[in-house]
Amino acid sequence: MPDGEPPAGIRVGLVGLGYWGPNLLRVLADLPAVEVTWICDLDEARLRRYARRYPATRPTRRFDDLLADPGLDAILIATPVFTHFDLASRSLAAGKHTFVEKPLALSVADADRLLDLAADRRLTLMCGHTFLYSPPVRHIRGMLDRGELGDIYFISSSRVNLGLHQRDASVIWDLAPHDFSILHHWLGGMPKSIRALGRDSIVKGIADVAFITLSYATGLIVNVELSWLAPSKLRRTVLVGSEKMVVYEDGAPEAVRVFDHGVVYEDPETFGAYQLSYRTGDITSPKLETTEPLVTQIGDFVAAAGAGAPRPQEARLARDVVHMLEAAESSLHRDGAEVEVSPSRFSRLGA
């Protein structure tokens, strides 16, 4: 994903000042040559609070005010997930470049409609998969591209904490977009099938713990553990390859550790037991950039919007993540039944 500085004169509006919107507002306000024209939220008290902090913005409770502004170039949406399709489709229909917090939509059908709308109007559509701009994630992608890990045997990921319980979405829709987007970025596509098991321990009907298995055509198996009920916060992914192994722990002082470890299998020359030898080498931690992923991502979006570059590859990844989420949720409600994941109809179009 190329990064770039926004050109002069980009005028943007932000919708949603709840949990994540203020972070977007902070980043937008600090970007050079970006004018935050509108802030929008249904909560009057929030609007007043952020209007005082950012007096150059125009506060409104009406989304239509942003759509009706002919000078507004782009809209960023940080509202509850059930509103994403409606707000994003209206933004694109009004000719605005559009950034939507993850996940892009609540169904593949709606995600497809958004991609079609953006393509028809030659508009930039991006989704807030911020981890794709994380230096550790990008470093591991480079290792995979160079084949440094050898054949990947399996990947295991744990993304757990205590809270926050969502009222309108399961832990899958809340936390899995992070892991699914990272896996798609690393592996270059979707699995062939997904199984998911979980339970609604606290709020009936809202799963708060889930164990998801993703099976790929290459034979690779990935296990993802998600929970709002863990005693401590953990963001840890382990990649095991034939040549090296990697542990990625978001937030740790050494976010990426590379283990030059492995197992060597030797076929017996004559009838007898096979032989295994274990290779134990150095453990290294690469030096990584210290850039804030959100700054890089938002800078990338406004640069694309200012240049009139649609950047469809980002939207396709976001659509595929929705497909994976939908498959995982379907499996969860079918007691862990295997759900096939069909290739994206956009995958044939190129990046």
Side-chain angles (χ1 to χ4, degrees):
M1 295 180 184
D3 308 322
E5 289 296 326
I10 299 300
R11 300 174 74 244
V12 305
L14 173 65
V15 184
L17 295 169
Y19 173 70
W20 194 245
N23 292 314
L24 297 176
L25 183 56
R26 167 183 59 84
V27 170
L28 288 166
D30 286 343
L31 283 174
V34 174
E35 180 184 350
V36 185
T37 307
W38 294 94
I39 54 174
C40 179
D41 197 281
L42 295 176
D43 190 309
E44 190 67 43
R46 285 180 190 162
L47 274 177
R48 289 197 301 267
R49 182 164 67 252
Y50 287 102
R52 286 195 300 269
R53 294 183 189 179
Y54 301 91
T57 63
R58 298 175 62 183
T60 181
R61 298 180 70 245
R62 299 181 66 254
F63 183 58
D64 286 343
D65 290 341
L66 282 69
L67 302 180
D69 183 350
L72 191 67
D73 300 297
I75 294 176
L76 293 90
I77 298 167
T79 56
V81 60
F82 67 88
T83 68
H84 286 184
F85 173 73
D86 177 61
L87 296 180
S89 60
R90 292 168 64 192
S91 174
L92 292 167
K96 315 299 185 186
H97 301 286
T98 303
F99 179 96
V100 187
E101 261 312 311
K102 56 85 184 167
L104 181 63
L106 277 175
S107 72
V108 177
D110 282 348
D112 283 345
R113 293 187 188 101
L114 292 178
L115 265 65
D116 287 339
L117 199 55
D120 289 344
R121 288 160 174 76
R122 299 285 298 168
L123 294 168
T124 301
L125 172 65
M126 287 178 62
C127 187
H129 293 298
T130 309
F131 277 99
L132 303 188
Y133 291 81
S134 163
V137 170
R138 289 185 163 191
H139 182 85
I140 294 171
R141 165 67 184 266
M143 295 183 69
L144 292 168
D145 287 347
R146 294 187 295 272
E148 293 181 19
L149 306 187
D151 295 330
I152 306 302
Y153 293 149
F154 73 90
I155 299 174
S156 177
S157 180
S158 295
R159 188 172 299 274
V160 302
N161 58 47
L162 188 59
L164 299 164
H165 274 72
Q166 305 295 317
R167 294 176 298 176
D168 58 348
S170 72
V171 70
I172 290 176
W173 284 91
D174 181 43
L175 298 182
H178 297 305
D179 297 282
F180 288 177
S181 62
I182 291 170
L183 290 167
H184 194 296
H185 181 57
W186 283 347
L187 304 175
M190 295 190 293
K192 66 181 180 65
S193 66
I194 292 179
R195 296 177 184 268
L197 287 170
R199 65 171 300 182
D200 48 354
S201 310
I202 305 300
V203 180
K204 187 170 180 59
I206 304 294
D208 44 37
V209 59
F211 299 90
I212 306 171
T213 300
L214 301 89
S215 300
Y216 289 78
T218 60
L220 172 66
I221 296 176
V222 179
N223 185 72
V224 177
E225 173 193 8
L226 308 169
S227 177
W228 291 325
L229 293 175
S232 59
K233 184 175 182 178
L234 180 63
R235 304 285 186 267
R236 189 171 187 265
T237 302
V238 178
L239 301 89
V240 175
S242 59
E243 298 298 323
K244 294 181 180 180
M245 307 177 187
V246 173
V247 174
Y248 160 47
E249 190 163 354
D250 182 56
E254 295 178 334
V256 176
R257 288 182 295 156
V258 182
F259 294 74
D260 190 8
H261 296 357
V263 180
V264 179
Y265 171 83
E266 296 179 4
D267 282 313
E269 295 182 0
T270 60
F271 180 77
Y274 60 80
Q275 297 293 319
L276 293 179
S277 61
Y278 294 86
R279 176 175 50 80
T280 302
D282 292 335
I283 302 174
T284 59
S285 182
K287 183 178 180 180
L288 303 172
E289 298 177 13
T290 57
T291 55
E292 182 183 354
L294 185 60
V295 172
T296 308
Q297 181 183 43
I298 299 304
D300 202 18
F301 168 70
V302 295
R311 301 285 294 279
Q313 62 271 25
E314 279 85 352
R316 291 171 193 155
L317 184 149
R319 179 264 182 208
D320 286 353
V321 169
V322 173
H323 192 166
M324 294 163 71
L325 293 168
E326 205 171 44
E329 191 76 16
S330 174
S331 176
L332 181 70
H333 290 293
R334 294 164 55 190
D335 297 323
E338 184 177 27
V339 176
E340 298 292 329
V341 180
S342 59
S344 169
R345 68 182 177 91
F346 297 97
S347 62
R348 300 186 300 274
L349 303 181

Short mmCIF file of all heavy atoms in Angstrom, two decimals, residues 83-139:
data_model
loop_
_atom_site.label_atom_id
_atom_site.label_comp_id
_atom_site.label_asym_id
_atom_site.label_seq_id
_atom_site.Cartn_x
_atom_site.Cartn_y
_atom_site.Cartn_z
N THR A 83 -24.87 1.18 10.94
CA THR A 83 -25.11 2.39 10.14
C THR A 83 -24.16 2.51 8.95
O THR A 83 -24.33 3.39 8.11
CB THR A 83 -24.96 3.65 11.01
OG1 THR A 83 -23.58 3.81 11.40
CG2 THR A 83 -25.83 3.58 12.24
N HIS A 84 -23.13 1.68 8.90
CA HIS A 84 -22.06 1.87 7.92
C HIS A 84 -22.56 1.88 6.48
O HIS A 84 -22.21 2.77 5.69
CB HIS A 84 -20.98 0.80 8.08
CG HIS A 84 -20.12 1.00 9.29
ND1 HIS A 84 -19.04 0.19 9.57
CD2 HIS A 84 -20.17 1.92 10.28
CE1 HIS A 84 -18.47 0.60 10.69
NE2 HIS A 84 -19.14 1.64 11.15
N PHE A 85 -23.38 0.90 6.10
CA PHE A 85 -23.80 0.82 4.71
C PHE A 85 -24.65 2.03 4.32
O PHE A 85 -24.42 2.64 3.26
CB PHE A 85 -24.59 -0.46 4.45
CG PHE A 85 -25.19 -0.49 3.07
CD1 PHE A 85 -24.41 -0.69 1.96
CD2 PHE A 85 -26.56 -0.28 2.90
CE1 PHE A 85 -24.96 -0.69 0.68
CE2 PHE A 85 -27.12 -0.28 1.63
CZ PHE A 85 -26.31 -0.49 0.51
N ASP A 86 -25.60 2.39 5.15
CA ASP A 86 -26.47 3.51 4.82
C ASP A 86 -25.68 4.80 4.66
O ASP A 86 -25.83 5.51 3.65
CB ASP A 86 -27.53 3.68 5.91
CG ASP A 86 -28.43 4.89 5.66
OD1 ASP A 86 -29.10 4.92 4.62
OD2 ASP A 86 -28.42 5.81 6.50
N LEU A 87 -24.83 5.11 5.62
CA LEU A 87 -24.08 6.37 5.57
C LEU A 87 -23.06 6.36 4.43
O LEU A 87 -22.92 7.35 3.71
CB LEU A 87 -23.39 6.62 6.90
CG LEU A 87 -24.30 6.82 8.11
CD1 LEU A 87 -23.46 7.07 9.37
CD2 LEU A 87 -25.27 7.98 7.90
N ALA A 88 -22.36 5.24 4.25
CA ALA A 88 -21.34 5.18 3.20
C ALA A 88 -21.96 5.24 1.82
O ALA A 88 -21.43 5.90 0.91
CB ALA A 88 -20.51 3.91 3.35
N SER A 89 -23.08 4.56 1.61
CA SER A 89 -23.72 4.58 0.29
C SER A 89 -24.22 5.98 -0.04
O SER A 89 -24.10 6.44 -1.18
CB SER A 89 -24.86 3.57 0.23
OG SER A 89 -25.85 3.85 1.21
N ARG A 90 -24.76 6.68 0.95
CA ARG A 90 -25.22 8.05 0.71
C ARG A 90 -24.05 9.00 0.45
O ARG A 90 -24.13 9.91 -0.38
CB ARG A 90 -26.04 8.54 1.90
CG ARG A 90 -27.37 7.81 2.06
CD ARG A 90 -28.02 8.10 3.39
NE ARG A 90 -28.38 9.51 3.52
CZ ARG A 90 -28.74 10.07 4.67
NH1 ARG A 90 -28.78 9.35 5.78
NH2 ARG A 90 -29.06 11.35 4.70
N SER A 91 -22.94 8.78 1.15
CA SER A 91 -21.75 9.59 0.93
C SER A 91 -21.21 9.40 -0.49
O SER A 91 -20.92 10.38 -1.20
CB SER A 91 -20.68 9.22 1.96
OG SER A 91 -19.47 9.90 1.70
N LEU A 92 -21.09 8.16 -0.93
CA LEU A 92 -20.60 7.89 -2.28
C LEU A 92 -21.56 8.42 -3.34
O LEU A 92 -21.14 8.99 -4.35
CB LEU A 92 -20.39 6.39 -2.45
CG LEU A 92 -19.25 5.76 -1.64
CD1 LEU A 92 -19.36 4.24 -1.65
CD2 LEU A 92 -17.89 6.19 -2.18
N ALA A 93 -22.86 8.24 -3.09
CA ALA A 93 -23.86 8.74 -4.05
C ALA A 93 -23.78 10.25 -4.19
O ALA A 93 -24.11 10.80 -5.25
CB ALA A 93 -25.26 8.32 -3.62
N ALA A 94 -23.35 10.93 -3.13
CA ALA A 94 -23.21 12.39 -3.17
C ALA A 94 -21.88 12.84 -3.76
O ALA A 94 -21.59 14.04 -3.81
CB ALA A 94 -23.36 12.95 -1.76
N GLY A 95 -21.06 11.87 -4.20
CA GLY A 95 -19.81 12.21 -4.85
C GLY A 95 -18.65 12.45 -3.90
O GLY A 95 -17.65 13.08 -4.28
N LYS A 96 -18.73 11.93 -2.67
CA LYS A 96 -17.68 12.14 -1.68
C LYS A 96 -16.79 10.90 -1.58
O LYS A 96 -17.29 9.78 -1.50
CB LYS A 96 -18.27 12.43 -0.30
CG LYS A 96 -19.43 13.43 -0.28
CD LYS A 96 -19.03 14.81 -0.78
CE LYS A 96 -20.19 15.80 -0.63
NZ LYS A 96 -19.88 17.11 -1.23
N HIS A 97 -15.48 11.10 -1.57
CA HIS A 97 -14.59 10.01 -1.21
C HIS A 97 -14.93 9.60 0.22
O HIS A 97 -15.24 10.44 1.06
CB HIS A 97 -13.13 10.47 -1.30
CG HIS A 97 -12.74 10.95 -2.67
ND1 HIS A 97 -12.52 10.07 -3.72
CD2 HIS A 97 -12.54 12.20 -3.17
CE1 HIS A 97 -12.19 10.76 -4.81
NE2 HIS A 97 -12.20 12.04 -4.50
N THR A 98 -14.86 8.29 0.49
CA THR A 98 -15.44 7.80 1.74
C THR A 98 -14.50 6.84 2.46
O THR A 98 -13.98 5.89 1.86
CB THR A 98 -16.78 7.10 1.46
OG1 THR A 98 -17.66 8.03 0.78
CG2 THR A 98 -17.43 6.64 2.75
N PHE A 99 -14.33 7.10 3.75
CA PHE A 99 -13.57 6.23 4.65
C PHE A 99 -14.54 5.72 5.70
O PHE A 99 -15.26 6.50 6.33
CB PHE A 99 -12.44 7.02 5.31
CG PHE A 99 -11.60 6.22 6.26
CD1 PHE A 99 -10.41 5.64 5.84
CD2 PHE A 99 -11.98 6.06 7.58
CE1 PHE A 99 -9.63 4.91 6.71
CE2 PHE A 99 -11.21 5.33 8.47
CZ PHE A 99 -10.02 4.76 8.04
N VAL A 100 -14.58 4.39 5.90
CA VAL A 100 -15.52 3.77 6.83
C VAL A 100 -14.74 2.96 7.86
O VAL A 100 -13.86 2.18 7.50
CB VAL A 100 -16.51 2.84 6.10
CG1 VAL A 100 -17.60 2.35 7.05
CG2 VAL A 100 -17.13 3.53 4.89
N GLU A 101 -15.07 3.15 9.12
CA GLU A 101 -14.44 2.31 10.13
C GLU A 101 -14.82 0.85 9.90
O GLU A 101 -15.86 0.54 9.35
CB GLU A 101 -14.85 2.77 11.54
CG GLU A 101 -13.81 3.65 12.20
CD GLU A 101 -12.40 3.07 12.09
OE1 GLU A 101 -12.20 1.88 12.40
OE2 GLU A 101 -11.50 3.82 11.68
N LYS A 102 -13.98 -0.05 10.39
CA LYS A 102 -14.22 -1.48 10.19
C LYS A 102 -15.35 -1.97 11.10
O LYS A 102 -15.55 -1.43 12.18
CB LYS A 102 -12.93 -2.27 10.41
CG LYS A 102 -12.26 -2.06 11.78
CD LYS A 102 -12.82 -2.97 12.86
CE LYS A 102 -12.24 -2.72 14.21
NZ LYS A 102 -12.99 -3.39 15.30
N PRO A 103 -16.09 -3.00 10.61
CA PRO A 103 -16.05 -3.57 9.26
C PRO A 103 -16.81 -2.69 8.27
O PRO A 103 -17.63 -1.86 8.66
CB PRO A 103 -16.74 -4.92 9.44
CG PRO A 103 -17.71 -4.70 10.55
CD PRO A 103 -17.03 -3.74 11.48
N LEU A 104 -16.53 -2.91 6.99
CA LEU A 104 -17.12 -2.07 5.95
C LEU A 104 -18.64 -2.11 5.95
O LEU A 104 -19.30 -1.08 5.75
CB LEU A 104 -16.59 -2.53 4.59
CG LEU A 104 -17.06 -1.76 3.35
CD1 LEU A 104 -16.59 -0.32 3.40
CD2 LEU A 104 -16.54 -2.45 2.08
N ALA A 105 -19.22 -3.28 6.16
CA ALA A 105 -20.68 -3.45 6.16
C ALA A 105 -21.01 -4.72 6.93
O ALA A 105 -20.11 -5.45 7.37
CB ALA A 105 -21.20 -3.54 4.72
N LEU A 106 -22.30 -4.99 7.08
CA LEU A 106 -22.74 -6.15 7.83
C LEU A 106 -23.07 -7.36 6.94
O LEU A 106 -23.51 -8.38 7.44
CB LEU A 106 -23.96 -5.80 8.68
CG LEU A 106 -23.65 -5.14 10.02
CD1 LEU A 106 -24.93 -4.72 10.73
CD2 LEU A 106 -22.83 -6.06 10.92
N SER A 107 -22.87 -7.22 5.64
CA SER A 107 -23.10 -8.34 4.72
C SER A 107 -22.25 -8.16 3.48
O SER A 107 -21.88 -7.04 3.12
CB SER A 107 -24.58 -8.44 4.33
OG SER A 107 -24.94 -7.38 3.45
N VAL A 108 -21.94 -9.29 2.84
CA VAL A 108 -21.19 -9.24 1.59
C VAL A 108 -21.99 -8.49 0.52
O VAL A 108 -21.43 -7.72 -0.27
CB VAL A 108 -20.86 -10.66 1.10
CG1 VAL A 108 -20.15 -10.62 -0.24
CG2 VAL A 108 -19.99 -11.37 2.13
N ALA A 109 -23.30 -8.69 0.51
CA ALA A 109 -24.13 -8.02 -0.50
C ALA A 109 -24.01 -6.50 -0.38
O ALA A 109 -23.87 -5.79 -1.39
CB ALA A 109 -25.59 -8.46 -0.35
N ASP A 110 -24.06 -5.99 0.85
CA ASP A 110 -23.93 -4.55 1.04
C ASP A 110 -22.52 -4.06 0.71
O ASP A 110 -22.34 -2.98 0.13
CB ASP A 110 -24.29 -4.17 2.48
CG ASP A 110 -25.79 -4.15 2.73
OD1 ASP A 110 -26.55 -4.21 1.74
OD2 ASP A 110 -26.20 -4.08 3.91
N ALA A 111 -21.52 -4.84 1.07
CA ALA A 111 -20.14 -4.47 0.73
C ALA A 111 -19.96 -4.41 -0.78
O ALA A 111 -19.33 -3.48 -1.30
CB ALA A 111 -19.17 -5.47 1.35
N ASP A 112 -20.53 -5.37 -1.50
CA ASP A 112 -20.45 -5.35 -2.96
C ASP A 112 -21.11 -4.10 -3.54
O ASP A 112 -20.60 -3.50 -4.49
CB ASP A 112 -21.12 -6.60 -3.54
CG ASP A 112 -20.25 -7.84 -3.43
OD1 ASP A 112 -19.04 -7.70 -3.17
OD2 ASP A 112 -20.79 -8.96 -3.59
N ARG A 113 -22.23 -3.71 -2.96
CA ARG A 113 -22.91 -2.50 -3.45
C ARG A 113 -22.04 -1.27 -3.25
O ARG A 113 -21.99 -0.38 -4.12
CB ARG A 113 -24.25 -2.33 -2.72
CG ARG A 113 -25.29 -3.40 -3.05
CD ARG A 113 -26.64 -3.07 -2.43
NE ARG A 113 -27.59 -4.17 -2.57
CZ ARG A 113 -27.88 -5.04 -1.61
NH1 ARG A 113 -27.31 -4.91 -0.41
NH2 ARG A 113 -28.75 -6.00 -1.82
N LEU A 114 -21.34 -1.19 -2.13
CA LEU A 114 -20.46 -0.05 -1.88
C LEU A 114 -19.30 -0.03 -2.88
O LEU A 114 -18.94 1.03 -3.41
CB LEU A 114 -19.93 -0.08 -0.46
CG LEU A 114 -20.95 0.15 0.66
CD1 LEU A 114 -20.29 0.03 2.02
CD2 LEU A 114 -21.64 1.51 0.52
N LEU A 115 -18.71 -1.20 -3.14
CA LEU A 115 -17.61 -1.26 -4.11
C LEU A 115 -18.09 -0.86 -5.51
O LEU A 115 -17.39 -0.15 -6.24
CB LEU A 115 -17.01 -2.66 -4.14
CG LEU A 115 -15.78 -2.88 -3.24
CD1 LEU A 115 -16.14 -2.76 -1.77
CD2 LEU A 115 -15.12 -4.23 -3.52
N ASP A 116 -19.27 -1.33 -5.89
CA ASP A 116 -19.81 -0.97 -7.19
C ASP A 116 -20.07 0.54 -7.29
O ASP A 116 -19.78 1.17 -8.31
CB ASP A 116 -21.11 -1.73 -7.46
CG ASP A 116 -20.86 -3.20 -7.77
OD1 ASP A 116 -19.73 -3.55 -8.17
OD2 ASP A 116 -21.80 -4.00 -7.61
N LEU A 117 -20.62 1.11 -6.21
CA LEU A 117 -20.93 2.53 -6.18
C LEU A 117 -19.65 3.36 -6.31
O LEU A 117 -19.59 4.34 -7.07
CB LEU A 117 -21.66 2.87 -4.88
CG LEU A 117 -22.46 4.17 -4.81
CD1 LEU A 117 -23.48 4.27 -5.94
CD2 LEU A 117 -23.16 4.25 -3.45
N ALA A 118 -18.61 2.97 -5.57
CA ALA A 118 -17.33 3.69 -5.64
C ALA A 118 -16.71 3.57 -7.03
O ALA A 118 -16.17 4.54 -7.57
CB ALA A 118 -16.38 3.16 -4.58
N ALA A 119 -16.79 2.37 -7.62
CA ALA A 119 -16.21 2.17 -8.95
C ALA A 119 -16.95 2.97 -10.00
O ALA A 119 -16.32 3.58 -10.89
CB ALA A 119 -16.23 0.68 -9.29
N ASP A 120 -18.27 3.00 -9.93
CA ASP A 120 -19.06 3.74 -10.91
C ASP A 120 -18.74 5.23 -10.89
O ASP A 120 -18.75 5.89 -11.94
CB ASP A 120 -20.56 3.54 -10.64
CG ASP A 120 -21.03 2.14 -10.98
OD1 ASP A 120 -20.29 1.43 -11.69
OD2 ASP A 120 -22.13 1.75 -10.54
N ARG A 121 -18.45 5.77 -9.71
CA ARG A 121 -18.21 7.21 -9.56
C ARG A 121 -16.74 7.57 -9.47
O ARG A 121 -16.40 8.72 -9.22
CB ARG A 121 -18.97 7.73 -8.33
CG ARG A 121 -20.49 7.77 -8.57
CD ARG A 121 -21.27 7.80 -7.27
NE ARG A 121 -22.71 7.98 -7.52
CZ ARG A 121 -23.51 7.03 -7.97
NH1 ARG A 121 -23.03 5.83 -8.23
NH2 ARG A 121 -24.79 7.26 -8.16
N ARG A 122 -15.86 6.55 -9.63
CA ARG A 122 -14.41 6.77 -9.56
C ARG A 122 -14.02 7.47 -8.26
O ARG A 122 -13.25 8.42 -8.25
CB ARG A 122 -13.94 7.58 -10.77
CG ARG A 122 -14.17 6.94 -12.11
CD ARG A 122 -13.19 5.81 -12.35
NE ARG A 122 -11.80 6.28 -12.35
CZ ARG A 122 -10.74 5.47 -12.31
NH1 ARG A 122 -10.93 4.15 -12.21
NH2 ARG A 122 -9.53 5.96 -12.32
N LEU A 123 -14.54 6.95 -7.16
CA LEU A 123 -14.27 7.53 -5.86
C LEU A 123 -13.43 6.59 -5.01
O LEU A 123 -13.49 5.37 -5.16
CB LEU A 123 -15.59 7.82 -5.12
CG LEU A 123 -16.48 8.90 -5.73
CD1 LEU A 123 -17.85 8.88 -5.08
CD2 LEU A 123 -15.83 10.27 -5.58
N THR A 124 -12.64 7.16 -4.11
CA THR A 124 -11.86 6.37 -3.16
C THR A 124 -12.77 5.86 -2.05
O THR A 124 -13.48 6.63 -1.42
CB THR A 124 -10.73 7.22 -2.55
OG1 THR A 124 -9.88 7.70 -3.58
CG2 THR A 124 -9.91 6.40 -1.57
N LEU A 125 -12.73 4.55 -1.83
CA LEU A 125 -13.44 3.93 -0.73
C LEU A 125 -12.43 3.11 0.06
O LEU A 125 -11.81 2.19 -0.47
CB LEU A 125 -14.56 3.01 -1.24
CG LEU A 125 -15.27 2.14 -0.19
CD1 LEU A 125 -16.02 3.01 0.82
CD2 LEU A 125 -16.21 1.15 -0.86
N MET A 126 -12.25 3.45 1.33
CA MET A 126 -11.32 2.72 2.18
C MET A 126 -11.98 2.40 3.51
O MET A 126 -12.93 3.06 3.91
CB MET A 126 -10.03 3.53 2.40
CG MET A 126 -9.13 3.59 1.17
SD MET A 126 -7.63 4.59 1.40
CE MET A 126 -6.82 3.68 2.71
N CYS A 127 -11.44 1.38 4.17
CA CYS A 127 -11.99 0.92 5.44
C CYS A 127 -10.89 0.96 6.51
O CYS A 127 -9.71 0.80 6.20
CB CYS A 127 -12.53 -0.50 5.28
SG CYS A 127 -13.41 -1.14 6.72
N GLY A 128 -11.28 1.16 7.75
CA GLY A 128 -10.34 1.40 8.83
C GLY A 128 -9.63 0.17 9.36
O GLY A 128 -9.61 -0.04 10.59
N HIS A 129 -9.01 -0.61 8.49
CA HIS A 129 -8.20 -1.73 8.94
C HIS A 129 -6.79 -1.21 9.25
O HIS A 129 -5.83 -1.41 8.50
CB HIS A 129 -8.16 -2.83 7.88
CG HIS A 129 -9.49 -3.49 7.66
ND1 HIS A 129 -10.14 -4.19 8.66
CD2 HIS A 129 -10.29 -3.54 6.57
CE1 HIS A 129 -11.28 -4.65 8.19
NE2 HIS A 129 -11.41 -4.27 6.93
N THR A 130 -6.67 -0.55 10.40
CA THR A 130 -5.47 0.20 10.74
C THR A 130 -4.24 -0.69 10.87
O THR A 130 -3.11 -0.24 10.60
CB THR A 130 -5.70 0.97 12.05
OG1 THR A 130 -6.92 1.71 11.94
CG2 THR A 130 -4.57 1.94 12.33
N PHE A 131 -4.40 -1.95 11.29
CA PHE A 131 -3.25 -2.81 11.49
C PHE A 131 -2.47 -3.06 10.20
O PHE A 131 -1.30 -3.43 10.25
CB PHE A 131 -3.67 -4.15 12.11
CG PHE A 131 -3.82 -4.10 13.60
CD1 PHE A 131 -5.07 -3.94 14.18
CD2 PHE A 131 -2.72 -4.18 14.43
CE1 PHE A 131 -5.21 -3.89 15.56
CE2 PHE A 131 -2.84 -4.12 15.80
CZ PHE A 131 -4.10 -3.98 16.37
N LEU A 132 -3.09 -2.86 9.06
CA LEU A 132 -2.38 -3.05 7.80
C LEU A 132 -1.30 -1.99 7.61
O LEU A 132 -0.41 -2.15 6.77
CB LEU A 132 -3.35 -3.01 6.62
CG LEU A 132 -4.50 -4.03 6.66
CD1 LEU A 132 -5.27 -4.01 5.36
CD2 LEU A 132 -3.99 -5.42 6.98
N TYR A 133 -1.35 -0.93 8.40
CA TYR A 133 -0.36 0.13 8.34
C TYR A 133 0.61 0.06 9.53
O TYR A 133 1.42 0.95 9.73
CB TYR A 133 -1.05 1.50 8.30
CG TYR A 133 -1.77 1.75 7.01
CD1 TYR A 133 -3.04 1.22 6.79
CD2 TYR A 133 -1.18 2.49 5.99
CE1 TYR A 133 -3.70 1.44 5.59
CE2 TYR A 133 -1.83 2.71 4.79
CZ TYR A 133 -3.10 2.18 4.60
OH TYR A 133 -3.75 2.39 3.41
N SER A 134 0.52 -1.02 10.30
CA SER A 134 1.38 -1.21 11.46
C SER A 134 2.77 -1.68 11.01
O SER A 134 2.88 -2.64 10.24
CB SER A 134 0.76 -2.24 12.40
OG SER A 134 1.70 -2.73 13.31
N PRO A 135 3.85 -1.04 11.47
CA PRO A 135 5.20 -1.49 11.08
C PRO A 135 5.47 -2.97 11.35
O PRO A 135 6.06 -3.63 10.48
CB PRO A 135 6.11 -0.57 11.90
CG PRO A 135 5.33 0.69 12.03
CD PRO A 135 3.90 0.23 12.22
N PRO A 136 5.05 -3.57 12.49
CA PRO A 136 5.28 -5.01 12.67
C PRO A 136 4.56 -5.86 11.62
O PRO A 136 5.14 -6.82 11.10
CB PRO A 136 4.73 -5.28 14.07
CG PRO A 136 4.81 -3.99 14.78
CD PRO A 136 4.53 -2.95 13.73
N VAL A 137 3.30 -5.51 11.32
CA VAL A 137 2.54 -6.28 10.33
C VAL A 137 3.19 -6.16 8.96
O VAL A 137 3.32 -7.16 8.22
CB VAL A 137 1.08 -5.80 10.30
CG1 VAL A 137 0.33 -6.40 9.12
CG2 VAL A 137 0.37 -6.15 11.61
N ARG A 138 3.64 -4.98 8.62
CA ARG A 138 4.29 -4.79 7.32
C ARG A 138 5.62 -5.52 7.25
O ARG A 138 6.01 -6.06 6.20
CB ARG A 138 4.46 -3.30 7.04
CG ARG A 138 3.15 -2.59 6.75
CD ARG A 138 3.37 -1.15 6.36
NE ARG A 138 2.18 -0.61 5.70
CZ ARG A 138 2.15 0.54 5.06
NH1 ARG A 138 3.23 1.30 5.00
NH2 ARG A 138 1.04 0.96 4.50
N HIS A 139 6.35 -5.54 8.36
CA HIS A 139 7.63 -6.24 8.38
C HIS A 139 7.42 -7.73 8.15
O HIS A 139 8.16 -8.35 7.37
CB HIS A 139 8.34 -5.99 9.72
CG HIS A 139 9.70 -6.64 9.79
ND1 HIS A 139 10.83 -6.02 9.30
CD2 HIS A 139 10.09 -7.85 10.27
CE1 HIS A 139 11.86 -6.83 9.47
NE2 HIS A 139 11.44 -7.94 10.07
#
